[in-house]
Amino acid sequence: MNSTTFPPLPTRLAINPWLIAAIVVVPTFMEVLDTTIAVVALRYIAGGLSATVDDGEWVITSYLAANAIILPISGWLAAHFGRRNYFLVSIGVFTLSSALCGISTSLSQLIVFRVFQGLAGGGLQPCSQAVLLDSFPAEKQGAAMTLFGLAALIAPVVGPTLGGWITDNYSWRWTFFINIPVGTLALAACYLLLEDPEYLRTQLTELKKQPFRFDSIGLGLLLITMVCWEVMISKGQEWDWMADPFGRVQTLLIVFLLALTGLIIWELRHQRPVVNFRPLGERNFLVSCIIIFVAYAVLYGASTTLPALLQSLFGYDALNAGLVMSPSGLFAILLMPVVAFLLGRGKDARWLILTGLLIMAAGNYWMSQMNLNVSPGQVVWPRVVTIVGLSLCFAPLNVAAYLYTPMKLRGAAVGLFSLLRSEGGSVGTSLAQTLHERLDQFHTTRLGEYLDPFNPAAHSFLHQVQAFFLGHTGDPALSKEIALQSLAALRLQQASSLAYFDCFWLFAIMVLVLVPLVFFMRRSVAEKGARIGTE
């Protein structure tokens, strides 16, 4: 990034923090939305650009990898170039890259522009969060985190629905073009209303007086680490993980572990690290990072599994599958103000986190108990319970994470926290795909063990189906073949459904494992006058 700066506006009257909040959450919503909105359009993108669906997945992988590179160094960039300047540049480049993605004429062009989009988008979440925390007094920062949580929670929920509707009614290109008017308005509003607080201006002035020393080795190790990680978890199932005959996954894993080890050792010894791991030494922050990583893995895993279940076994199209998931977003919106009120009244964030985790686990367990005879309404409510649980966790986690983090480390802490939240989503998406495919194979094999001529139920089914088709075709051989094919199709359907439901059961277990971690956290109440803001 160059040293381009946006001139600050003349001194003006104090601006209502809720107005600031309204304009800075828009870029966050836009950035998180772009991680999911294009997923449902991948087949259309591949077809429109004459590429295979497998190659089209690089549209998602490239964006996530670029995003992951920027997130942990966003605090360093904001400190050295000014948070307002960095935020405005990020919004502008993100919007321009979205336009270029929409007009791409080949898959390679689209992937390149998605990289630029991901690099710009990586700074939007941390900057939005930091502006919110600095704009509100300490006792209202729970409400600020609630508003931020709305953007971070609702975007992945509505993304597949919105993407499916746009793709079905217009074109996959509009999943990118939709960012242009929103990004332009957000850029104009942020330029007019945002300014850096005094402590950031002082910090920037002090940094300018010092010799500029860029941690290029740290950045290089970070780039290698995140690219290997993103490619491995995105393509691992396709390449058969550790059984990859070409050694791609094995090579990526070895390089990832070496680069990560080198990155940690180098950055802990460097005086001005580009990625500062020291915030992880604070107990509350470390536990909050673990919880948000797993919680978002479960959120994205469930958000991937449920529409796949509805579309493959229930015959829903992308839009109707999204409509079944959408009511959960409404309940998240209704619950967030309640969470903000509780935090503002001095409620210990730990107990809200604990309650949210238990509710989230209950929602996934409820989903695991479904069968193929459920109606849409019976699918909506378990999803609502899951999202309600996550809504109870999100804002309290943000409060607890930064409460005891020293001011000088909070810029790095925001970047790390945002990175782990984002990477949790990537891991959850990959985990859902891998779990379903492996469990599908397992259940297909186990169900096949009972389908033999000595099973009276199987024998009765074949006899009835064969008699039915014999009456329609008059061909004994053909009717027998159709009966066998019907039994095989039924086995595949049941095996797939059992695999989907087992995924939800495993997601519930993953959330329950987090519960004991809450008791390792220190008391997390935002007292009046106690600053928990961040950069």
Side-chain angles (χ1 to χ4, degrees):
M1 178 179 292
N2 57 35
S3 57
T4 301
T5 59
F6 290 85
L9 294 175
T11 303
R12 51 187 178 267
L13 296 175
I15 299 172
N16 189 316
W18 288 108
L19 179 59
I20 297 292
I23 64 171
V24 299
V25 298
V26 172
T28 291
F29 182 86
M30 189 169 59
E31 190 272 331
V32 178
L33 186 71
D34 261 53
T35 62
T36 57
I37 193 173
V39 172
V40 296
L42 280 182
R43 293 182 181 274
Y44 298 90
I45 293 173
L49 298 178
S50 301
T52 65
V53 175
D54 288 342
D55 289 338
E57 290 180 359
W58 287 104
V59 173
I60 305 298
T61 304
S62 59
Y63 179 84
L64 293 174
N67 203 266
I69 292 169
I70 290 296
L71 276 169
I73 64 173
S74 57
W76 186 93
L77 292 170
H80 283 77
F81 297 100
R83 188 175 67 196
R84 176 177 180 267
N85 296 327
Y86 177 51
F87 193 40
L88 292 174
V89 168
S90 296
I91 297 173
V93 174
F94 185 88
T95 305
L96 177 61
S97 300
S98 298
L100 294 174
C101 287
I103 63 175
S104 298
T105 57
S106 67
L107 183 62
S108 57
Q109 282 185 11
L110 180 57
I111 291 173
V112 170
F113 295 141
R114 283 285 279 179
V115 169
F116 284 111
Q117 192 184 35
L119 291 173
L124 297 180
Q125 286 189 56
C127 287
S128 295
Q129 189 175 13
V131 171
L132 283 173
L133 289 170
D134 278 337
S135 300
F136 286 81
E139 64 272 13
K140 292 186 178 180
Q141 288 181 352
M145 286 300 93
T146 297
L147 188 61
F148 179 80
L150 282 175
L153 278 176
I154 302 302
V157 173
V158 304
T161 306
L162 181 60
W165 182 81
I166 291 175
T167 304
D168 289 342
N169 291 277
Y170 297 97
S171 165
W172 64 265
R173 297 183 184 276
W174 281 97
T175 59
F176 301 110
F177 287 150
I178 194 175
N179 290 330
I180 298 174
V182 179
T184 303
L185 290 174
L187 179 62
C190 290
Y191 173 77
L192 293 173
L193 299 177
L194 289 188
E195 62 178 9
D196 286 337
E198 182 61 32
Y199 80 93
L200 280 182
R201 292 198 294 269
T202 302
Q203 181 187 66
L204 181 59
T205 302
E206 293 298 321
L207 286 173
K208 286 182 177 179
K209 294 178 182 178
Q210 301 173 6
F212 183 78
R213 298 177 180 175
F214 183 69
D215 182 14
S216 55
I217 294 179
L219 181 62
L221 290 171
L222 172 67
L223 192 149
I224 295 171
T225 300
M226 298 315 303
V227 168
C228 289
W229 170 257
E230 284 293 345
V231 174
M232 183 174 65
I233 65 173
S234 298
K235 310 296 284 187
Q237 179 59 24
E238 178 188 335
W239 294 341
D240 202 18
W241 293 106
M242 301 309 293
D244 180 11
F246 300 101
R248 292 165 294 188
V249 175
Q250 297 90 325
T251 301
L252 286 170
L253 178 60
I254 292 172
V255 175
F256 165 74
L257 292 175
L258 291 175
L260 178 61
T261 303
L263 176 67
I264 294 173
I265 294 174
W266 175 265
E267 297 296 70
L268 289 177
R269 299 175 63 182
H270 202 277
Q271 290 185 349
R272 298 178 184 174
V274 71
V275 184
N276 196 337
F277 292 102
R278 291 179 178 85
L280 294 172
E282 202 286 303
R283 188 172 64 194
N284 266 30
F285 183 75
L286 176 62
V287 173
S288 297
C289 284
I290 296 172
I291 292 176
I292 201 68
F293 178 85
V294 178
Y296 260 67
V298 171
L299 170 66
Y300 276 75
S303 298
T304 302
T305 302
L306 182 56
L309 166 66
L310 296 175
Q311 292 177 51
S312 62
L313 299 181
F314 288 82
Y316 288 33
D317 58 22
L319 179 59
N320 287 322
L323 291 175
V324 169
M325 300 173 66
S326 296
S328 60
L330 175 62
F331 279 85
I333 294 173
L334 295 175
L335 185 63
M336 282 295 192
V338 178
V339 177
F341 174 79
L342 293 173
L343 290 172
R345 294 295 297 270
K347 185 70 175 179
D348 194 333
R350 294 177 299 172
W351 310 131
L352 292 175
I353 296 169
L354 177 64
T355 304
L357 291 175
L358 292 174
I359 293 175
M360 192 176 177
N364 280 282
Y365 178 76
W366 189 358
M367 198 83 71
S368 72
Q369 301 304 300
M370 295 191 304
N371 56 52
L372 294 179
N373 296 318
V374 296
S375 66
Q378 292 172 305
V379 180
V380 167
W381 289 110
R383 174 70 177 175
V384 167
V385 171
T386 300
I387 299 302
V388 163
L390 186 59
S391 300
L392 277 173
C393 292
F394 190 87
L397 275 172
N398 279 272
V399 171
Y402 305 119
L403 189 59
Y404 297 103
T405 303
M407 178 66 68
K408 63 181 180 179
L409 295 178
R410 284 179 181 162
V414 170
L416 285 173
F417 197 74
S418 299
L419 172 67
L420 290 169
R421 184 174 62 242
S422 176
E423 288 307 297
S426 300
V427 170
T429 302
S430 177
L431 180 64
Q433 179 187 12
T434 301
L435 282 176
H436 178 260
E437 292 192 16
R438 299 300 171 96
L439 289 170
D440 193 2
Q441 296 170 4
F442 169 78
H443 285 297
T444 299
T445 302
R446 291 304 305 273
L447 290 175
E449 294 175 359
Y450 299 93
L451 300 180
D452 57 60
F454 300 102
N455 186 327
H459 181 76
S460 175
F461 175 86
L462 289 173
H463 178 74
Q464 293 179 34
V465 174
Q466 184 176 358
F468 173 81
F469 283 106
L470 180 61
H472 285 74
T473 64
D475 187 336
L478 179 60
S479 61
K480 182 178 180 179
E481 182 179 349
I482 295 175
L484 290 171
Q485 290 176 352
S486 299
L487 183 59
L490 183 61
R491 180 185 69 165
L492 293 176
Q493 181 193 51
Q494 292 296 321
S496 182
S497 68
L498 290 171
Y500 280 123
F501 299 143
D502 281 355
C503 286
F504 291 114
W505 186 83
L506 290 171
F507 293 151
I509 297 299
M510 288 172 60
V511 176
L512 284 177
V513 170
L514 298 175
V515 170
L517 294 178
V518 178
F519 297 99
F520 288 95
M521 301 174 72
R522 289 192 281 175
R523 183 173 181 269
S524 302
V525 177
E527 304 288 352
K528 286 189 176 183
R531 181 179 178 81
I532 58 171
T534 184
E535 305 167 33

